[in-house]
Amino acid sequence: VGAFILLALALLGVFLVSLGQWTRTSGYTVLVDFAYTGNLQVGAPVKLSGLSLGRVGALIPMTPDLKPSPATPRAELGQEAEPTIRVSVALDPEGQSLLGTHTKFLVATSGLIGEPYVELLPSKPLSAIDPKVPFRGVDAPRLHVMALQLSFLLDKALSTASLLDKAEQLLRSLKDVLDEPSWKDMLV
């Protein structure tokens, strides 16, 4: 009986490690600030072209007393807004070797509605980074906001089409009235 219990515990351990939630990530911790992270969760993978290089260690709301200071917004797509969430990223040694001052981190999803993860985009040339300075991540797309805006635009387009139909009817009626012989005689 004891051997079966030990075997069951060993199989459970192998199963948990294979799920990836209990894998040990040694290496380097990087701070990345985002204005919007979508549905990113602690434990989400950090990838480079599908290759796992680490995991998200923590999601921390930005507070005025948070140290180090937040990353500065950039005039680039997905980086303009003030950061509201700090993500602690634990990288494997392979991931650490890809870091440079212009490395980008962005929130991506596996497929259209898949699980979110952090994508690492290395920069050239690789250069030493200051671990006390957080990166400014590229924010996740706000699909719910885009859906609302598209709905609004569709409503406006339909109301504009309806207005154009009414204007066309009015012009036809005006043409019919002006084509009447009695009107032509009165105008001449």
Side-chain angles (χ1 to χ4, degrees):
V1 174
F4 286 118
I5 291 175
L6 287 175
L7 180 65
L9 287 175
L11 287 174
L12 179 64
V14 168
F15 177 70
L16 289 175
V17 169
S18 70
L19 284 177
Q21 298 300 315
W22 289 60
T23 56
R24 192 176 68 108
T25 301
S26 61
Y28 195 71
T29 298
V30 176
L31 301 175
V32 186
D33 294 345
F34 293 94
Y36 181 71
T37 58
N39 194 26
L40 190 66
Q41 301 292 318
V42 171
V46 177
K47 297 181 180 183
L48 169 67
S49 297
L51 176 66
S52 185
L53 297 174
R55 294 228 169 253
V56 171
L59 296 164
I60 307 156
M62 301 289 265
T63 59
D65 58 335
L66 187 66
K67 300 291 182 210
S69 300
T72 0
R74 297 181 180 177
E76 295 182 36
L77 184 63
Q79 297 180 317
E80 307 92 355
E82 286 290 329
T84 58
I85 300 288
R86 174 158 292 163
V87 177
S88 173
V89 173
L91 292 175
D92 295 335
E94 298 85 18
Q96 180 183 355
S97 67
L98 298 171
L99 294 177
T101 53
H102 297 292
T103 298
K104 290 190 178 186
F105 293 86
L106 55 106
V107 177
T109 57
S110 303
L112 187 59
I113 56 173
E115 288 295 315
Y117 64 94
V118 175
E119 181 76 22
L120 183 147
L121 301 173
S123 64
K124 298 285 183 190
L126 298 177
S127 54
I129 62 166
D130 182 354
K132 296 177 185 165
V133 177
F135 287 88
R136 176 59 174 96
V138 179
D139 298 332
R142 297 176 187 249
L143 297 177
H144 60 287
V145 173
M146 289 186 340
L148 287 171
Q149 290 172 337
L150 285 173
S151 174
F152 175 78
L153 287 174
L154 183 60
D155 286 346
K156 290 296 178 189
L158 291 175
S159 67
T160 301
S162 173
L163 185 63
L164 289 174
D165 285 343
K166 291 178 182 176
E168 182 183 6
Q169 289 173 359
L170 177 67
L171 289 174
R172 283 188 184 156
S173 297
L174 184 60
K175 181 185 179 294
D176 290 344
V177 167
L178 292 176
D179 282 346
E180 287 288 320
S182 60
W183 276 100
K184 286 183 182 177
D185 293 340
M186 284 178 40
L187 292 175
V188 176

